[in-house]
């Protein structure tokens, strides 16, 4: 058997938009192009194509339609003040997509550099329509799914055919969450006891489509997101599509940034979470002060379980100094209020949350060169 073809950016087939191309009514916020890369078990990766965004069609018994064999990523492409396009740590999203794909029996053997070259070509084509105001971006939705029949229980769990594609939308920075400015009153979360998002050994730490289909039905009107709980102790895991940190004063004088540990596979390993942990840890260790000027020296990052009763008791004894969510969508956002078992808890605001938000957005928009190579400049 001949070896399976690897994913190759150099075999890209590009079809420019025809002069007669018109943006369909109601689809003005979509990117005009789309990248598609087919895969099958016999020959491996097929020819990548970039062409006008179009609808997809599948067999009615395709794995994606029957058993939700689909995973995805969420990334943003930013336009800097001088017109460059930037992606934030794309390798982290590609690695997470590989992990999700492996969990579903989908192909996950691509070379990230080849994929990045294709992403760069796609976003460069959209350069004229990528907005450049603060908070705006081109949102990228890489998706990988099983297009072959995924029906019945099979001995061989691996898909026969799959499709990796990237569709894009314009994010005009209108703010998904009105007070997502990292300061002020912050967003309201509803601590959800009725629906459980993830459990030990489940798929919560993978970005599978199946994890998200139930999200909106669980969210209460008037709240930005659900705060997901698990276990009889009501541990908080994450909120909506963001990881969560609390800021707590420790007895030894350190300010602790505490976030749920990745152990147990309940929490999605967020790129923003990971980046904040790295910035705060390097700052605390004195390895690299930059770019967290203004952050006290005596800070510590702790990854462990946090329960709702702990949040309530630290609010009561005054050691809770703030709470925030983080993710590609919100960047860093203050949590101002939690609704839990019929009670409303107001969380104190903390200016350090804005410092973290400004630092991450500064790096993403190319205003801060943090010296770690996190911002990838898309070649023109
Ligand atoms: N948790 C969940 C459930 C998410 O969907 C997201 C968004 N990808 C995050 C956390 C934050 O991850 P990231 O920082 O990589 O966007």
């Amino acid at each position: 058997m001949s070896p399976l073809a690897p994913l190759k950016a150099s075999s890209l087939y590009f079809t420019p938009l025809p002069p007669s191309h018109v943006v369909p009514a109601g689809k003005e916020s979509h990117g005009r192009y789309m990248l598609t890369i087919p895969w099958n078990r016999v020959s491996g990766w097929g020819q990548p194509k970039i062409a006008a965004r179009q609808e997809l069609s599948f067999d009615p018994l395709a794995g994606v339609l029957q058993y939700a064999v689909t995973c995805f990523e969420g990334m943003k492409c930013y336009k800097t003040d001088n017109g460059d396009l930037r992606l934030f740590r794309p390798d982290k999203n590609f690695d997470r997509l590989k992990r999700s794909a492996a969990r579903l029996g989908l192909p996950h053997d691509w070379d990230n550099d080849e994929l990045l070259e294709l992403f760069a070509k796609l976003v460069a084509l959209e350069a004229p329509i990528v907005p450049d105001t603060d908070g705006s971006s081109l949102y990228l939705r890489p998706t990988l799914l099983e297009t072959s029949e995924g029906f019945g229980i099979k001995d061989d769990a691996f898909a026969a055919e799959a499709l990796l594609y990237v569709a894009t939308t314009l994010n005009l920075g209108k703010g998904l969450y009105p007070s997502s400015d990292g300061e002020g009153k912050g967003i309201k979360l509803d601590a959800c006891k009725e629906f459980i998002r993830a459990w030990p050994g489940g798929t919560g730490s993978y970005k599978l489509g199946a994890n998200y289909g139930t999200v909106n039905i669980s969210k209460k009107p008037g709240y930005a997101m659900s705060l997901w709980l698990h276990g009889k102790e009501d541990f908080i895991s994450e909120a909506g599509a963001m990881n969560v940190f609390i800021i707590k004063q420790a007895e030894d004088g350190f300010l602790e940034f505490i976030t749920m540990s990745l152990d147990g596979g309940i929490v999605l390993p967020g790129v923003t979470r990971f980046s904040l942990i790295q910035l705060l840890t390097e700052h605390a260790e004195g390895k690299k002060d930059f770019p967290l000027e203004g952050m006290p020296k005596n800070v510590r990052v702790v990854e462990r379980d946090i329960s709702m009763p702990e949040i309530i008791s630290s609010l009561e004894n005054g050691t809770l100094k703030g709470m925030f969510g983080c993710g590609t969508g919100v960047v860093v956002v203050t949590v101002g209020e939690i609704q839990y078992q019929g009670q409303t808890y107001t969380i104190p605001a903390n200016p350090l949350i804005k410092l973290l938000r400004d630092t991450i957005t500064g790096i993403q928009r190319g205003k801060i060169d943090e010296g770690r190579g996190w911002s990838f400049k898309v070649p023109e």
Side-chain angles (χ1 to χ4, degrees):
M1 206 169 96
S2 55
L4 296 184
L7 193 159
K8 273 258 157 274
S10 56
S11 60
L12 174 69
Y13 187 80
F14 168 56
T15 312
L17 295 179
S20 58
H21 178 80
V22 277
V23 178
K27 308 272 179 183
E28 294 79 6
S29 64
H30 289 171
R32 302 158 307 167
Y33 287 97
M34 169 169 168
L35 166 67
T36 51
I37 321 169
W39 178 93
N40 76 59
R41 195 160 39 177
V42 179
S43 49
W45 291 101
Q47 185 173 38
K49 289 189 179 135
I50 294 181
R53 188 184 200 280
Q54 58 173 355
E55 290 181 357
L56 300 169
S57 60
F58 308 110
D59 187 279
L61 297 181
V64 58
L65 299 176
Q66 291 299 315
Y67 298 147
V69 183
T70 174
C71 54
F72 65 100
E73 275 302 317
M75 303 164 67
K76 284 177 174 173
C77 171
Y78 308 89
K79 193 180 264 181
T80 68
D81 289 347
N82 58 16
D84 297 339
L85 296 180
R86 304 278 180 141
L87 294 170
F88 182 66
R89 313 192 78 177
D91 50 318
K92 294 265 169 232
N93 294 94
F94 295 163
D95 285 344
R96 191 168 64 190
L97 189 61
K98 281 184 178 169
R99 226 181 125 250
S100 302
R103 183 73 175 83
L104 287 174
L106 290 172
H108 50 277
D109 61 346
W110 62 81
D111 175 338
N112 284 352
D113 290 340
E114 298 286 329
L115 198 55
L116 183 56
E117 199 177 320
L118 291 167
F119 273 52
K121 293 219 161 90
L122 176 71
V123 296
L125 283 164
E126 302 292 18
I129 62 164
V130 179
D132 59 0
T133 50
D134 268 353
S136 69
S137 59
L138 179 74
Y139 181 77
L140 276 64
R141 177 49 69 93
T143 308
L144 178 56
L145 44 83
E146 181 181 12
T147 48
S148 48
E149 274 190 27
F151 185 59
I153 304 295
K154 300 177 283 186
D155 273 346
D156 183 351
F158 219 82
E161 287 172 16
L163 178 72
L164 172 54
Y165 72 84
V166 185
T168 65
T169 61
L170 297 175
N171 160 27
L172 298 176
K174 293 261 162 38
L176 203 47
Y177 313 105
S179 37
S180 57
D181 58 355
E183 52 184 357
K185 271 175 54 204
I187 58 169
K188 289 192 206 174
L189 298 180
D190 172 53
C192 181
K193 272 182 83 73
E194 193 183 352
F195 299 101
I196 307 299
R197 177 187 175 272
W199 43 89
T203 57
S205 70
Y206 302 89
K207 209 160 166 64
L208 310 190
N211 289 344
Y212 292 80
T214 56
V215 163
N216 288 336
I217 216 89
S218 326
K219 188 180 95 62
K220 286 220 184 85
Y223 292 87
M225 299 183 193
S226 304
L227 178 62
W228 302 116
L229 303 179
H230 75 96
K232 56 181 182 339
E233 304 83 352
D234 284 350
F235 290 124
I236 63 168
S237 53
E238 45 193 333
M242 43 182 218
N243 295 113
V244 171
F245 283 72
I246 61 169
I247 309 175
K248 211 170 152 179
Q249 188 63 58
E251 280 177 9
D252 61 1
F254 273 71
L255 200 57
E256 290 187 332
F257 287 78
I258 312 172
T259 190
M260 174 75 184
S261 130
L262 300 180
D263 297 347
I266 288 176
V267 171
L268 191 83
V271 179
T272 324
R273 170 191 184 278
F274 188 71
S275 303
L276 289 171
I277 291 178
Q278 192 173 338
L279 286 177
L280 284 163
T281 308
E282 289 178 358
H283 173 85
E285 290 171 350
K287 270 202 218 140
K288 281 195 185 191
D289 268 0
F290 189 73
L292 282 185
E293 277 100 8
M295 178 65 65
K297 264 263 98 26
N298 52 348
V299 294
R300 180 160 56 219
V301 177
V302 185
E303 294 177 69
R304 66 160 169 82
D305 290 337
I306 307 161
S307 68
M308 271 314 298
E310 174 182 354
I311 292 187
I312 295 166
S313 64
S314 42
L315 249 183
E316 283 165 0
N317 66 23
T319 52
L320 188 70
K321 299 297 178 194
M323 180 169 181
F324 60 94
C326 65
T328 302
V330 296
V331 191
V332 172
V333 60
T334 298
V335 174
E337 199 179 292
I338 302 177
Q339 155 87 22
Y340 173 65
Q341 293 187 323
Q343 297 273 0
T344 299
Y345 297 92
T346 305
I347 313 291
N350 191 321
L352 295 176
I353 299 174
K354 178 160 164 46
L355 171 65
L356 292 176
R357 177 182 173 84
D358 289 349
T359 305
I360 294 285
T361 47
I363 297 170
Q364 290 170 335
R365 306 200 78 81
K367 290 183 182 156
I368 299 175
D369 177 4
E370 91 303 333
R372 297 167 178 85
W374 286 357
S375 177
F376 170 78
K377 182 170 172 303
V378 174
E380 280 162 35

